[in-house]
Amino acid sequence: MPQAPDHRQRFQRLDQLLSANQALWRPVPFIERRPVWLDEQPQLAQWLLALSDEQVQRLQGDDDVLLAALAPRLPAAAELAALIDIARRGRPLAGDEPLQRDVPGRKWQQLQAFGGALGELSLPALEWCAGKAHLGRLLSANGGATVTALEIDPALVADGERLAARLQLPVTLQACDVLGDTAASHLQPRQHALALHACGGLHLRLLQLAAERGVQRISLSPCCYHLHPPPGQESHYRPLSATAAASALRLRREELRLAVRQSATAPARVRRNRARLQAWRLGFDLLQRELRGRDDYLPVPPLSETVLADGFEAFCRRVAELKQLALPARVDFDAFEQRGQQRFDEVERLTLLPMAFRRALELWLVLDRALYLEENGYHCELTQFCERELTPRNLLLDARLVK
C-alpha cells in the first residue's frame, strides 16, 4: 500500500490562508454594497473595477488564470494556486451507443471519466443517489461488476430497471431515502460504495454510514456542500474530522455556496438569463432601499427565469407583493433597471476576489472528508477525474479500508 498523502499538512495550510484572508472572501458584494476591503485595498479594487466584460468572463471560468492575475495584488494567490493543484488520473471508460442512449452528452462524459479514474473494480458496487443508475450500468458493462443502486424517486428506479434489463446487466435499483433509517442496511463490509455528485448531506450520510460499517472501498465526488444539511447543521457547517474540528474557522451554511460558485459549463443562453435576472434583483434592491429608508439588503425568494418575459416593472411589482412592500404611484423603473445593471457589472468584478478562494474552500471541505476517513482506518487518495471544463466538481476521493 503506497504511503498516504499528507492531507493534514495541506488542510492546515489552507486553513491558515482562509482564516487570515477571510475579510476578503466572506463578504458578499451582492448583499454588501461596500465591503470593508474596498477601502483597505484601493489599488486591488481599482484594478477589479477596470476589467472588461471579456476579462471578467475569462477570470470567472478558470481558477488558475484568476489566481495568476491576482498574484501581483494578492499575496496569498501564488500559494493558493499551488495548494489547489491536484493531480488527474485515469482514462475515460468506453461505452457503446446502446449504453449511452438516454444519457445527456456532458453527463455521459462525466460518467466515463469518473469510472475510468476508479481503475479495476473487484467488489460488488453500491451506487448512492443513483438516479437511473447510469454510472452503475457503465461500470457493470466495462468490468462485469454487480451493482445495487439506491434512489429515492420510484419513477427513476423503474426507468433504471428497464434500462438495465434491456442491456441484460446485473444492476438492481431499489427505492431508498438515503437519509432515512433503512439506508444503513444496504451497506456491507465487502462492498464498493460509489457516489458521483451526491449533494451535501447526502454524501456526508454515505461517508458516516460506510465508515461505521467498515465498507471496503468508498469512491466519492462531492457536490453542492450547502444542500441537505444534517440535523444541527442548518446554520453552520460541523466538520467531520478531528483536524477540521480543531480549526477556528467556522463556516456558515450560506458560505458553503462559494465553493460551488461557478457557471462556466452552463449554456450561453442560461448564463445570459441568469445575469439579467441578477441585474433585476439588484435594481429592485436599490429601489427597496430607497422606499424603506434602510440601506440594507432585503432577501428575495428564488424566482424562475420565466419572470424575465414580462419586463422589469412587472418583476418589481411581483417581488414587492411577495415582500409586502407598497410601491408608490410613480416609479422611474427604467432608471432603476439601468442602475441595477450598473450595480451588477460592479458586483461581477468585485465577486472575483472571493471567487479566488472558492477552490481553496472546496478543497478544505473535501480534505475534511478525507481526514475523517483516515481517522477511521482508510487510505485516501484525492485526485481530479476530469478537466474542469467538463464539470467544475471534478474532485475524486477514493478510500480503501486498511485497518
Side-chain angles (χ1 to χ4, degrees), residues 5-280:
D6 195 351
H7 297 316
R8 181 173 288 101
Q9 184 179 13
R10 188 191 295 258
F11 175 89
Q12 289 175 336
R13 188 56 190 144
L14 281 169
D15 185 67
Q16 291 168 356
L17 288 174
L18 287 169
S19 297
N21 292 278
Q22 54 190 307
L24 303 181
W25 60 264
R26 281 194 190 271
V28 182
F30 192 95
I31 296 174
E32 299 184 36
R33 294 182 67 184
R34 190 163 186 84
V36 173
W37 66 262
L38 280 174
D39 297 320
E40 295 176 345
Q41 303 206 36
Q43 292 182 335
L44 175 58
Q46 183 180 11
W47 177 78
L48 288 168
L49 293 172
L51 293 171
S52 68
D53 290 343
E54 292 75 17
Q55 288 173 314
V56 170
Q57 185 174 352
R58 184 167 59 92
L59 295 175
Q60 285 176 335
D62 192 312
D63 295 298
D64 294 331
V65 172
L66 175 57
L67 287 168
L70 282 169
R73 305 161 184 90
L74 180 65
E79 188 173 3
L80 282 172
L83 287 168
I84 66 172
D85 184 17
I86 304 297
R88 174 155 175 218
R89 80 175 188 194
R91 292 183 176 181
L93 289 182
D96 56 16
E97 192 280 331
L99 191 63
Q100 182 180 355
R101 195 181 307 161
D102 303 312
V103 187
R106 185 181 295 276
K107 180 65 176 178
W108 175 247
Q109 293 172 22
Q110 292 172 12
L111 295 170
Q112 289 180 296
F114 182 83
L118 299 179
E120 183 180 355
L121 303 185
S122 58
L123 295 165
L126 178 74
E127 185 180 358
W128 197 257
C129 302
K132 299 180 183 180
H134 295 316
L135 175 62
R137 291 198 312 280
L138 176 63
L139 296 176
S140 183
N142 272 270
T146 299
V147 180
T148 301
L150 304 184
E151 169 56 42
I152 192 173
D153 187 339
L156 297 181
V157 170
D159 282 347
E161 287 281 352
R162 175 181 55 81
L163 294 171
R166 185 182 71 190
L167 297 173
Q168 298 182 321
L169 293 171
V171 178
T172 303
L173 287 89
Q174 298 187 25
C176 176
D177 177 3
V178 299
L179 298 179
D181 295 335
T182 63
S185 65
H186 294 281
L187 292 160
Q188 306 297 330
R190 291 287 302 167
Q191 201 173 53
H192 184 175
L194 301 156
L196 172 59
H197 295 161
C199 293
L202 302 178
H203 73 251
L204 291 180
R205 174 79 164 160
L206 171 61
L207 289 181
Q208 292 171 316
L209 289 178
E212 289 173 5
R213 299 181 73 86
V215 172
Q216 189 68 35
R217 186 178 176 189
I218 307 166
S219 301
L220 166 71
S221 176
C223 188
C224 300
Y225 305 88
H226 57 289
L227 295 181
H228 309 290
Q233 298 191 44
E234 290 81 7
S235 61
H236 284 75
Y237 174 74
R238 184 185 303 159
L240 283 82
S241 67
T243 302
S247 167
L249 194 62
R250 290 292 177 264
L251 300 174
R252 296 189 297 270
R253 182 187 169 198
E254 57 267 24
E255 289 174 333
L256 303 185
R257 295 176 184 269
L258 177 59
V260 294
R261 185 180 174 83
Q262 216 155 2
S263 59
T265 58
R269 179 190 59 80
V270 173
R271 296 200 301 271
R272 287 194 301 269
N273 286 344
R274 189 178 298 161
R276 189 179 180 198
L277 184 56
Q278 294 292 77
W280 282 12

Side-chain angles (χ1 to χ4, degrees), residues 288-309:
Q288 67 84 15
R289 289 176 193 252
E290 290 192 12
L291 293 178
R292 296 167 66 221
R294 296 176 54 180
D295 192 19
D296 55 25
Y297 181 73
L298 183 66
V300 173
L303 295 172
S304 166
E305 294 176 3
T306 57
V307 300
L308 296 172

